[in-house]
Amino acid sequence: MTDEHHSHKHPLQTDHPEPSSHHELMGIALNDLLVSKGIYDNAEMNAMIESIENIEPNTHGARVVARAWVDPEYKAFLLKDGMSAVESLGLDPGYAVLTAVENTPEVHNLVVCTLCSCYPRFLLGRPPVWYKSKAYRSRVVREPRAVLREFGTEIPTGVEVRVHDSTAELRYIVIPMRPAETEGMSESELASLVSRDSMIGTALAGRP
Amino acid sequence: MARFAIGDRVRISDREEARHHRVPAYVKGHEGVVERICAAQGQPETLALGEDGEPIQTVYRIHIPQTRLWPGYEGPNGDSLEIEIFEHWLESARC
């Protein structure tokens, strides 16, 4: 890192690694420009990063899924109008149209964004690194079953694998199937079975 | 007003576009069926340039069988891809 770089202020988080590529430097330069133009300030940027980092899939998305499992009316609401259904639980649905898709004995849903890395951050927090990788994004649309097997998820041939490529201002959350033998479980116990990956579609919900 | 209805057969345009757009190459030129009408949103081509994105476009979710997208697809015939496409990238496939 050159002295020249350290001679100006930029709003990197203190634990942010040093930029190592042209594109990272471009990102920092763009951010500096936006700050200097007064579009937002460093404090707002850091507050946004912090709020996204504090979102845990199991405190947000999993709550939504568990409610849908125990309350058929809520599930219907969630499938019809994801944003309002999420808001009704006191959660922030974000700015893009939230769309819930339901796994059934006939259909297994799986989400990708081939063009970039669209992800329901307000419900699931930061996306995993693999979700943003070129390998996942390019492979999962053409060989989804092979990718699922690498995640340890085998979908029977009689079940349709439906891949959702998220290309517009919509964000997807998968409602995994409720596992067997969970009849007596409370909503919060059920939520603990709902992993982040099960809401992307690369995994099934956990077993009790 | 949405030009297409649920169940309509449509073709995704295979035109080239130098500006930012949200139609990945692998679906261009393919036919599918309107699965649902998702939203009405501004055009990415002009929004990306700081313009207003007008006229607003209906966004559809298009259902395409995987076996049509990929010759030699490894899975069963029922597997599918669903993707959101803006109306100005869709043509009727009925003719």
Side-chain angles (χ1 to χ4, degrees):
Chain A
M1 192 48 56
T2 63
D3 289 330
E4 196 177 299
H5 181 72
H6 281 289
S7 67
H8 73 108
K9 285 183 183 169
H10 58 70
L12 282 180
Q13 300 267 295
T14 50
D15 61 350
H16 198 288
E18 294 288 348
S20 59
S21 72
H22 171 73
H23 292 101
E24 275 181 85
L25 283 169
M26 291 275 284
I28 291 167
L30 176 63
N31 188 63
D32 282 356
L33 273 173
L34 291 167
V35 169
S36 65
K37 279 179 172 286
I39 308 292
Y40 55 81
D41 65 24
N42 289 348
E44 286 173 307
M45 178 61 155
N46 287 341
M48 176 58 83
I49 292 171
E50 202 172 311
S51 76
I52 289 173
E53 300 223 314
N54 285 336
I55 295 171
E56 295 285 343
N58 56 353
T59 57
H60 291 66
R63 260 183 70 196
V64 175
V65 171
R67 175 63 59 87
W69 281 351
V70 299
D71 182 347
E73 264 181 48
Y74 181 79
K75 184 166 81 181
F77 181 25
L78 179 63
L79 290 168
K80 188 165 184 282
D81 181 356
M83 296 189 90
S84 304
V86 164
E87 270 179 326
S88 76
L89 296 186
L91 297 169
D92 182 351
Y95 56 87
V97 179
L98 184 76
T99 306
V101 289
E102 184 187 14
N103 286 349
T104 67
E106 289 80 38
V107 180
H108 179 86
N109 294 282
L110 182 59
V111 181
V112 63
C113 170
T114 58
L115 292 176
C116 45
S117 55
C118 296
Y119 189 77
R121 287 167 187 254
F122 288 87
L123 280 180
L124 302 186
R126 291 176 69 179
V129 170
W130 56 258
Y131 185 83
K132 299 189 280 185
S133 72
K134 282 187 183 155
Y136 177 77
R137 287 159 46 211
S138 57
R139 288 183 58 216
V140 83
V141 287
R142 69 181 305 161
E143 45 175 12
R145 287 174 185 268
V147 173
L148 283 167
R149 273 193 294 274
E150 290 168 25
F151 278 93
T153 305
E154 188 75 45
I155 303 298
T157 351
V159 176
E160 172 187 344
V161 169
R162 188 178 294 169
V163 178
H164 295 269
D165 189 355
S166 173
T167 52
E169 289 299 325
L170 277 84
R171 298 292 177 270
Y172 286 91
I173 179 174
V174 174
I175 309 173
M177 278 203 290
R178 180 171 173 166
E181 294 161 27
T182 54
E183 290 75 14
M185 291 177 71
S186 72
E187 206 173 312
S188 62
E189 287 169 335
L190 287 168
S192 71
L193 305 177
V194 184
S195 65
R196 173 195 70 197
D197 290 4
S198 74
M199 293 180 278
I200 301 173
T202 50
L204 307 178
R207 300 223 157 253
Chain B
M1 266 306 284
R3 180 179 160 204
F4 302 106
I6 293 170
D8 280 359
R9 282 205 68 78
V10 290
R11 181 174 175 274
I12 300 168
S13 170
D14 64 359
R15 68 175 181 267
E16 289 186 21
E17 171 57 68
R19 295 170 299 176
H20 174 70
H21 62 294
R22 303 293 300 175
V23 186
Y26 76 93
V27 297
K28 285 186 178 178
H30 281 279
E31 284 186 14
V33 170
V34 174
E35 189 268 345
R36 75 172 69 177
I37 294 172
C38 301
Q41 296 178 343
Q43 299 181 38
E45 291 87 340
T46 52
L47 281 177
L49 299 173
E51 295 166 18
D52 60 11
E54 297 281 349
I56 299 293
Q57 298 292 314
T58 302
V59 178
Y60 301 87
R61 188 185 301 160
I62 309 301
H63 181 99
I64 310 172
Q66 288 280 25
T67 48
R68 288 194 170 211
L69 278 176
W70 311 108
Y73 176 72
E74 51 139 357
N77 287 335
D79 284 3
S80 64
L81 177 101
E82 291 190 354
I83 184 164
E84 300 125 29
I85 303 289
F86 289 75
E87 188 171 280
H88 65 300
W89 279 90
L90 291 175
E91 304 156 1
S92 176
R94 276 169 295 189
C95 50

